[in-house]
Amino acid sequence: MQFAYGGSQDAGNADALVNELGLTGLQFTNIWNGCATGGSSLNAAYTAIKSGEYDLGVVVGFDKHPRGAFNPKPAEWGLDDWYGEAGMMLTTQFFAMKTQRYMHDHGITNDALVRVAEKAFHNGSLTPTAWRRQALSYDEIASSMMVSDPLRKYMFCSPAEGGAALILCDAKIAKRYTSNPIYLSAAAVRTRHYGSFEVFSPSQPMQVADAPTVTASKAAFELAGLGPEDIDVLQLQDTDSGTEIIHMAENGFCEHGDQEKLLRDGATRIDGSLPINTDGGCLANGEPVGASGLRQVHEICVQLRGDGGARQVPGNPKVGYTHVYGAPGISGVNILTV
Amino acid sequence: MTQQIPIQDGLFTWPSAQPELLGSRCDHCGEASFPSQPDCRNCGSRETSVVPIGSRGTLWTWTIQSFMPKDPYRSDETPETFTPYGVGYVEMPGGVRVESRLQLPEGEKPEIGMSLDLVIEPFRTEEDGTQIMMFSFKPTEE
């Protein structure tokens, strides 16, 4: 190895890992970018190799979060204390309110919210490394406790704990290390524009701008010279059911409002035309934020190598896609090919 | 007499017979922000003015907070006395959507587009008896 990028939000300095693993003197840079930490770490490694500075490195992420929703401190996000004291600084509220408005504007119903979670826990039951491995019935999800209207208990991921690591090298030397390399065709990270609806916002402008997911997705497709129609298997940030639905359209995989029918028809299942979160996503794997974006990439590598076992997408998928979204309005997108 | 202080200076006009939220408006592009800020988040201008942004608005989106938030939430409630509360974004005549707690009749759900009025009420009481005043919105009564 020549370098490392690492990230952890709540489990301490990622570089401290090296004290356990063995000291090497190599460059190790910590990344801290909210829920987009994993995606940002990978982006940094991609850039380091592309620049020619290095040709072999590791990206690592891990986390262990306290039980329940995140409880961020306003001062760490450039906000005054009153916003947190009054009970408005909760990620769960934001995703519920974004989903609520989206359902109103685009005719999405509760049925779609339930179907996303049903699929996630089914896929989790097929994934040995998933955190939640028990499939849940439609009725169990639809009648679970309301947490933040319209989102119920089994429609939210739990932060939980976990870790992931990826080894990257210059594509020219990849065959030295493996007979079946996966190519990182594009990695893009973008932040919010004025007018996009973001978490931790005491106010929103009246004008509406594209979400950072839209701009990151477009940038990644342009970089890879590919379009949504070329993607065989994908991972979309699903911290809750509503978010997966919104991200389907924000990433260009369908029109706003078409998700209702796609979900009803099973298009996003492992054997569907648009397989999403084949390992159960954040809903079944939790969201240890340092690791989560890397876990997505790992799952795409498993799928593109045909190692998915019971959850393998049929038809030898060749192009994969990953997407994360994090506070205070960041998105990271990766496109992977064989 | 009980002392009352706002949860933060500069969020709303108070005490006042008709309190209003206070934001800022950019002297160049005219975009509004809440709370007020010295730089414009739209055009980057450093010239903004504090302006009232209104006391009646319409609901743009909402949710119900059904569990008691962890720290830094600071109310007088305990897990036993906690009651779920509404949260939403309210479109203000001053040209900005403001996130606020919503006070709703028990068991009633908010509706997107409903008319809401600003209220300034005690939110919690400090150990020395000082009441901390906070803004929220209630359905318009007419």
Side-chain angles (χ1 to χ4, degrees):
Chain A
M1 292 300 128
Q2 299 162 349
F3 72 92
Y5 286 95
S8 155
Q9 179 167 287
D10 287 341
N13 186 331
D15 180 18
L17 261 186
V18 177
N19 294 340
E20 306 285 329
L21 296 176
L23 302 171
T24 59
L26 300 178
Q27 175 181 350
F28 192 118
T29 305
N30 290 321
I31 303 279
W32 196 95
N33 229 358
C35 297
T37 293
S40 299
S41 305
L42 179 58
N43 186 271
Y46 168 80
T47 312
I49 292 174
K50 216 173 159 185
S51 75
E53 182 70 18
Y54 293 120
D55 53 25
L56 181 64
V58 62
V59 182
V60 60
F62 55 89
D63 247 312
K64 180 167 181 160
H65 302 289
R67 186 180 154 83
F70 294 121
N71 58 328
K73 293 179 179 60
E76 291 178 2
W77 298 89
L79 295 164
D80 289 320
D81 287 342
W82 68 269
Y83 185 62
E85 290 178 7
M88 294 194 283
M89 196 167 178
L90 283 93
T91 53
T92 43
Q93 285 175 2
F94 166 74
F95 291 120
M97 287 193 284
K98 186 170 178 182
T99 299
Q100 188 87 257
R101 182 71 202 188
Y102 193 85
M103 292 169 79
H104 174 267
D105 286 348
H106 300 293
I108 301 294
T109 69
N110 285 313
D111 177 69
L113 299 178
V114 178
R115 286 178 191 274
V116 169
E118 190 185 20
K119 167 186 66 78
F121 294 118
H122 171 75
N123 293 356
S125 76
L126 306 175
T127 306
T129 50
W131 178 61
R132 285 193 153 147
R133 297 207 54 211
Q134 191 183 342
L136 293 174
S137 72
Y138 186 100
D139 288 341
E140 280 175 299
I141 297 160
S143 63
S144 62
M145 185 183 75
M146 187 64 89
V147 170
S148 199
D149 202 307
L151 300 173
R152 295 174 181 273
K153 178 181 172 184
Y154 291 129
M155 297 174 182
F156 275 112
C157 78
S158 291
E161 64 181 278
L166 303 170
I167 293 172
L168 281 89
C169 72
D170 189 322
K172 290 196 284 289
I173 60 168
K175 295 272 181 182
R176 272 191 223 164
Y177 304 105
T178 176
S179 57
N180 56 351
I182 304 295
Y183 296 94
L184 183 57
S185 299
V189 175
R190 292 292 184 273
T191 60
R192 62 216 169 278
H193 284 98
Y194 182 70
S196 61
F197 184 30
E198 304 299 343
V199 66
F200 304 157
S201 299
S203 72
Q204 271 298 122
M206 300 292 276
Q207 58 176 270
V208 177
D210 280 342
T213 292
V214 175
T215 49
S217 175
K218 283 182 179 163
F221 278 128
E222 198 177 309
L223 206 54
L226 297 168
E229 66 284 357
D230 298 312
I231 305 297
D232 301 318
V233 54
L234 54 153
Q235 291 271 334
L236 302 180
Q237 181 86 337
D238 62 327
T239 45
D240 57 273
S241 285
T243 312
E244 178 170 314
I245 291 170
I246 295 167
H247 288 155
M248 287 168 67
E250 285 188 349
N251 284 286
F253 293 100
C254 67
E255 295 297 320
H256 293 293
D258 286 355
Q259 299 97 325
E260 184 84 10
K261 184 173 186 305
L262 288 168
L263 284 157
R264 210 167 43 232
D265 294 346
T268 65
R269 292 185 203 151
I270 287 169
D271 59 356
S273 56
L274 192 65
I276 298 176
N277 296 334
T278 45
D279 61 353
C282 292
L283 288 175
N285 290 274
E287 196 204 10
V289 304
S292 197
L294 304 179
R295 188 259 311 155
Q296 294 182 324
V297 174
H298 172 266
E299 172 64 7
I300 293 297
C301 292
V302 166
Q303 291 288 340
L304 297 186
R305 288 187 170 128
D307 293 337
R311 68 181 194 281
Q312 178 64 45
V313 167
N316 302 318
K318 293 193 165 43
V319 188
Y321 183 99
T322 72
H323 157 263
V324 288
Y325 168 82
I330 316 162
S331 280
V333 169
N334 301 295
I335 296 174
L336 299 118
T337 55
V338 287
Chain B
M1 188 185 154
T2 309
Q3 196 198 355
Q4 297 184 322
I5 57 168
I7 193 165
Q8 166 100 0
D9 285 333
L11 294 181
F12 40 81
T13 55
W14 181 85
S16 161
Q18 282 197 307
E20 285 194 76
L21 290 178
L22 289 172
S24 56
R25 187 175 305 287
C26 176
D27 297 345
H28 290 264
C29 73
E31 283 292 303
S33 177
F34 174 85
S36 63
Q37 55 181 71
D39 293 0
C40 175
R41 56 184 176 169
N42 179 38
C43 71
S45 159
R46 308 211 66 180
E47 285 148 6
T48 63
S49 310
V50 174
V51 291
I53 54 173
S55 61
R56 175 172 292 181
T58 57
L59 188 61
W60 186 71
T61 189
W62 61 273
T63 188
I64 305 286
Q65 178 62 37
S66 66
F67 61 91
M68 185 164 158
K70 293 186 278 198
D71 182 74
Y73 186 57
R74 269 187 79 196
S75 67
D76 292 330
E77 298 158 302
T78 65
E80 289 73 36
T81 64
F82 173 79
T83 48
Y85 56 90
V87 178
Y89 279 83
V90 184
E91 282 191 8
M92 301 305 294
V96 65
R97 298 185 180 116
V98 173
E99 188 177 5
S100 174
R101 286 177 68 126
L102 309 173
Q103 295 192 38
L104 302 157
E106 205 180 319
E108 269 186 44
K109 280 191 177 183
E111 271 180 48
I112 287 174
M114 74 191 294
S115 177
L116 297 163
D117 284 327
L118 180 74
V119 286
I120 309 294
E121 291 178 351
F123 175 63
R124 69 165 187 267
T125 305
E126 303 285 56
E127 274 181 22
D128 66 0
T130 304
Q131 290 185 325
I132 303 300
M133 307 300 284
M134 174 62 185
F135 70 91
S136 64
F137 280 83
K138 278 183 180 172
T140 300
E141 288 173 24
E142 270 173 340

